[in-house]
Amino acid sequence: MSLLENIHGPRDLDGLSETQLVELAAEIRDFLVSEVSKTGGHLGPNLGVVELTMAIHSVFNSPHDAIVFDTGHQSYVHKLLTGRQDFSHLRELGGLAGYPQRSESVHDIVESSHASSSLSWADGISRAFAMTGQNDRFVVAVVGDGALTGGMTWEALNNISDDNSRRLIIVVNDNGRSYAPTIGGMARFLNTVRTRRSYRNLHVSSRNLFAHLGGPARAFYRGVRGGLHGFLSRFTNNEALYSNLDIKYIGPVHGHDIQALKQALEQAKNYGAPVIVHAITEKGRGYEPAVHDIADQFHAVGQIDPETGEPVEVASKPSFTSVFSDEILHIAEDNPRIVGITAAMLRPTGLHRFAEKFPNRVFDVGIAEQHAVTSAAGLAFGGLHPVVALYATFINRAFDQVLMDVALHKAGVTFVLDRAGVTGPDGPSHHGMWDLAILQVVPNIRLAAPRDATRLREELREAVSVEDAPTVVRFSRGSVGTEFEATRRTADGVDVLREAPHKDVLIVTVGLMAELGLQVAERLAAQGIGASVIDPRWVVPVPESVIDMARDHRIVVTIEDGVRVGGIGTRIRQDLRAAGVDTAVTELGLPDEFLPHGSREEILDLVELNPQKIARDLVAQVLGSRIPVARPLPDDSGRSIGVRARAEGA
């Protein structure tokens, strides 16, 4: 039996020798490559924290001691060491989550996969422990160096430094990368620490770390109160500059030497006050394809060949992201005022091709969405047109800036939201299901939801032409939708995809839900119910032609892959009432719940956004409202709707 098979909880590490711990680390890496290659997931980050996670669980006693991961994608090793070794359905419906999840284990504390929040969590937990007399409990926050680019980290550090009475250990997992290489002044400083002669020597023989390391790296967090500029300007000082922050610093430590890590963590544990432990690790450690992948070191992979790292399947259709990537480059070539902004997601959001062609016109601000948005407002004021590319779930973090800095100032800023709607395997924190409901309350905002590649290209060009208000183009994860050409386009830009000769039901679809709407219409037609299907393209503000068509139909059905409460359906219903149109409206969308991880198809089926359920309910609604259909056609039982209606007393 392997060593890993005997690990059922963290305390099973206690009886292992130094040699066995090294062997266990190798087994864990082999396990990760073998299992994650079958399911997909965050491979590179977890290969880089094997020894670090083992050392943390060796020194601290989870769950009595609280361990918080920032971000949670580096928690696979933590799952293995806490008794979760069935990775066969990782990130699949019913299987292990790709992030910490409280329902899985008492060892999981924070479920959010959004970066830069761990120190605030740790600050609150440690204060609670101190105030309630739980003085034997430690809090360990494992923060990736990329998370240090986020503002919440610095807000938390400022407060942590104000109270030295808590048992709080901040472990900085410094691999020089967030998703891609970490950017900014902090990253440059960390890079100087990694490349200093003193550290290079210690990296070879890290057992002598504490005997040989002097003060050069101890200025790591100086100057939170004094400002970032002053902070960075003092990094070359060899003194232990802690007069401002007053948090003990230990490191840098070789992040793949278990004994050195355990020694550093024991020292931090015994200090009795907040401590920073700076561990230098290698993303993708031990797996050659990841180590040599310059782009993102296998940050997140689909199914791959474990030997070569090559994808097992190549998508037959381009992704929405790739279509955006090509089109924004073409737009930028034609319009020198276009600039791009992203928050540590240059390649995932598709801005990398723009950056390669025009490196001085694309800005990666690190994991700092709020800064990205307000900076975009400034760029617009200066005469440029910024395109801010984010995952839809991350626009939540910058709502105030969209509202008060962009919209209030009538700034021409375009937001491109990737991974909108149900994203699938990354789970509740990554589903981009709130953007439509949140953003539509912003005055004068314009929201577009392309259904396919052609519409994405045209709507993106329409968006960047608006100079006096924020515009949003949001699209789903994965392959572009099937191309459905409109039978006609109204004067205000609404695409009519299907027009029934008898106007019983008007189906209004948002983005990729066009295909679902057409499938529902086919089923209704088979039951003798006339169903028209339209794609507004720009869903906010509601086009006037949508109001006009709703007036001509007996029932309006809206289908969106955003949260139903306060969604586009609600907006249409309100606009109909304001226009004096009393057509009944059925609003279909996602429930106001945190949805689990699973494939997009599985999640949509779980929330009953499928053609069978929708059509069945609509047939019942038509019959229940005593609306006569144009002609009786046979249903599945061979009886006409009229016959069935009479049989049921309708």
Side-chain angles (χ1 to χ4, degrees), residues 17 25 43 58 82 133 138 241 346 348 350 404 409 411-412 450 474 517 591 605 614:
S17 66
L43 183 56
S58 294
T82 53
F138 292 85
L241 302 175
L346 189 69
M404 292 300 177
H409 295 87
R474 53 104 68 180
D605 193 57
I614 296 173

Side-chain angles (χ1 to χ4, degrees), residues 12 84 138 204 269 287 333 376 378 390 456 497 508 585 591:
D12 291 332
R84 288 167 281 175
F138 292 85
V204 176
K269 184 177 182 179
Y287 184 45
E333 289 171 338
L390 305 169
L456 170 54
L497 304 182
V508 184
V585 179

Side-chain angles (χ1 to χ4, degrees), residues 556-580:
V556 173
V557 180
T558 62
I559 308 177
E560 57 191 297
D561 57 352
V563 65
R564 184 173 58 246
V565 177
I568 300 304
T570 301
R571 180 67 168 256
I572 290 175
R573 176 170 49 79
Q574 291 173 342
D575 282 12
L576 287 176
R577 296 298 170 266

Side-chain angles (χ1 to χ4, degrees), residues 370-408:
Q370 293 170 299
H371 166 66
V373 173
T374 301
S375 178
L379 288 165
F381 176 77
L384 301 173
H385 190 104
V387 176
V388 182
L390 305 169
Y391 283 6
T393 184
F394 295 133
I395 197 65
N396 304 349
R397 312 182 89 185
F399 171 75
D400 182 67
Q401 286 69 32
V402 173
L403 181 67
M404 292 300 177
D405 293 325
V406 176
L408 177 64

Side-chain angles (χ1 to χ4, degrees), residues 302-346:
Q303 291 181 324
I304 60 173
D305 182 328
E307 296 297 324
T308 65
E310 293 296 321
V312 173
E313 295 182 2
V314 179
S316 58
K317 292 182 179 180
S319 66
F320 276 107
T321 307
S322 65
V323 173
F324 163 71
S325 184
D326 291 341
E327 191 64 20
I328 191 62
L329 176 57
H330 295 326
I331 293 172
E333 289 171 338
D334 296 337
N335 185 352
R337 296 179 52 251
I338 299 294
V339 294
I341 304 178
T342 191
M345 289 274 182
L346 189 69

Side-chain angles (χ1 to χ4, degrees), residues 152-287:
M152 277 187 70
T153 300
W154 298 99
E155 294 172 24
L157 278 170
N158 184 57
N159 282 275
I160 290 170
S161 68
D162 193 49
D163 180 4
N164 266 335
S165 64
R166 290 168 288 148
R167 299 189 171 190
L168 169 58
I169 291 86
I170 302 167
V171 178
V172 178
N173 170 29
D174 174 14
N175 60 19
R177 310 178 74 87
S178 47
Y179 189 111
T182 310
I183 59 89
M186 171 59 69
R188 287 194 296 272
F189 164 64
L190 292 176
N191 188 58
T192 65
V193 174
R194 285 192 297 274
T195 56
R196 282 193 184 113
R197 183 185 302 277
S198 59
Y199 175 69
R200 291 200 305 271
N201 293 338
L202 291 170
H203 199 276
V204 176
S205 58
S206 60
R207 302 304 173 79
N208 297 322
L209 176 66
F210 301 106
H212 294 287
L213 183 64
R218 296 178 183 269
F220 184 51
Y221 284 107
R222 175 172 175 79
V224 169
R225 294 177 187 163
L228 189 58
H229 177 73
F231 170 46
L232 294 174
S233 69
R234 301 293 295 275
F235 277 147
T236 55
N237 196 318
N238 289 336
E239 301 175 7
L241 302 175
Y242 278 90
S243 59
N244 283 341
L245 193 56
D246 196 25
I247 298 179
K248 184 176 178 61
Y249 174 92
I250 298 173
V253 186
H254 187 337
H256 301 293
D257 186 323
I258 297 177
Q259 295 306 314
L261 287 165
K262 289 173 66 175
Q263 183 180 357
L265 292 169
E266 287 285 3
Q267 184 178 351
K269 184 177 182 179
N270 293 330
Y271 185 63
V275 181
I276 292 167
V277 177
H278 181 188
I280 296 182
T281 63
E282 180 185 24
K283 190 174 182 178
R285 174 84 171 190
Y287 184 45

